Amino acid sequence: MRTLVVGNWKMNETATQAARLAREIVDVLSMPPYRAKRSVDVVLAPPFTSLAPVRDAIAEHDVALGAQNVYWADSGAFTGEISPPMLLDLGVRYVIVGHSERRRYFGETDEDVRKKTQAALAHGLRPIVAVGETGDERDSGKTDERVTVQTRAALEGVTRERLSEIVIAYEPVWAIGTGRNCDPTEAARVIDVIRASVAGLDDVPVLYGGSVSPANFAQYMAMPRCCGGLVGGASLDAQSFALLVRIAGEARP
Ligand code: PEP
């Protein structure tokens, strides 16, 4: 199973700033001790407006381009939306679907997430499917049920062969951007619940996301079933992000 470190820049950085940040990241990753052949797939997911400049900044480097969202239709009267072919044409290889901020602020449903996942797969984009419980759901003992329902809904209709192109991220909503990261042992337990929710997920990378930082990431990477991180805040600083890549690489040489 591959190890991934994915930087979700959310709605941060203008195109000019994003190009600069991407250049800083690849510069740090090109220096020892980061330069050694990497066992870690690194993905940068800037806002749509920064995809092209970030693509140019990471060209020639072993870093992949990701998007933060996608619509399921190829083209048409969907003002403001971006389709899989548009992303592919820009060099995008991964797309985050079902991030809790999309579910919460933009009303994305499990059904939307399923359509986006299928559209991404149909076009050869690798979906990074985000699932996770809210604080209230955790407090009322609904964590396992919630991640099971979300995972099953997102992957409904996906064939066994196609599952190998999926990445899942366990992102407890209460841990995102709060500085309150989930206990790593508990995250590993929920990751196992996610894997058990759909047949064939044993070899699918499942990441942890939620206030990951260089201070806590090694504890997640010490969990054999955790395959890396989906990182928000700490991905906006080149040194911190590169350190996360290094930590992942040291844990899974
Ligand atoms: C995220 O954006 O997916 C995320 C986990 O954010 P943060 O690392 O800032 O909690």
Side-chain angles (χ1 to χ4, degrees), residues 14-199:
T14 64
T16 308
Q17 292 165 337
R20 192 181 315 128
L21 176 58
R23 277 196 302 272
E24 278 172 24
I25 289 172
V26 291
D27 281 353
V28 184
L29 289 176
S30 304
M31 284 188 266
Y34 302 95
R35 196 179 49 214
K37 184 170 163 12
R38 275 206 313 266
S39 52
V40 180
D41 293 336
V42 179
V43 182
L44 298 182
F48 290 134
T49 46
S50 298
L51 286 169
V54 169
R55 173 202 57 202
D56 295 345
I58 64 178
E60 318 292 324
H61 293 271
D62 198 6
V63 172
L65 192 61
Q68 299 174 16
N69 187 23
V70 67
Y71 193 62
W72 51 81
D74 284 6
S75 62
F78 303 105
T79 301
E81 293 295 328
I82 302 287
S83 73
M86 292 171 180
L87 296 180
L88 281 173
D89 185 61
L90 284 172
V92 171
R93 288 172 45 207
Y94 292 82
V95 60
I96 301 168
V97 293
H99 192 282
S100 63
E101 288 152 14
R102 302 255 9 128
R103 296 178 191 258
R104 181 171 170 197
Y105 301 126
F106 304 99
E108 278 191 16
T109 63
D110 286 346
E111 171 68 1
D112 295 338
V113 177
R114 182 185 66 75
K115 289 185 190 163
K116 292 179 180 206
T117 302
Q118 294 204 336
L121 286 172
H123 287 275
L125 288 165
R126 295 194 66 181
I128 302 171
V129 178
V131 300
E133 81 287 359
T134 63
D136 284 350
E137 286 163 347
R138 172 159 286 271
D139 292 345
S140 53
K142 298 219 171 79
T143 297
D144 296 8
E145 180 193 325
R146 192 70 197 113
V147 298
T148 298
V149 166
Q150 287 179 328
T151 308
R152 286 188 181 153
L155 303 189
E156 196 191 313
V158 176
T159 61
R160 202 70 177 242
E161 303 76 65
R162 281 268 165 91
L163 277 183
S164 61
E165 287 147 47
I166 300 241
V167 177
I168 298 176
Y170 169 51
E171 295 216 307
V173 180
W174 51 269
I176 296 179
T178 59
R180 282 177 56 218
N181 60 303
C182 182
D183 172 74
T185 310
E186 170 61 6
R189 187 194 70 75
V190 181
I191 285 173
D192 279 341
V193 171
I194 291 168
R195 286 189 193 285
S197 67
V198 173

Side-chain angles (χ1 to χ4, degrees), residues 8 10 99 171 175-177 209-212 230-233:
N8 172 19
K10 312 197 192 205
H99 192 282
E171 295 216 307
I176 296 179
S211 296
V212 162
L230 176 53
V231 187

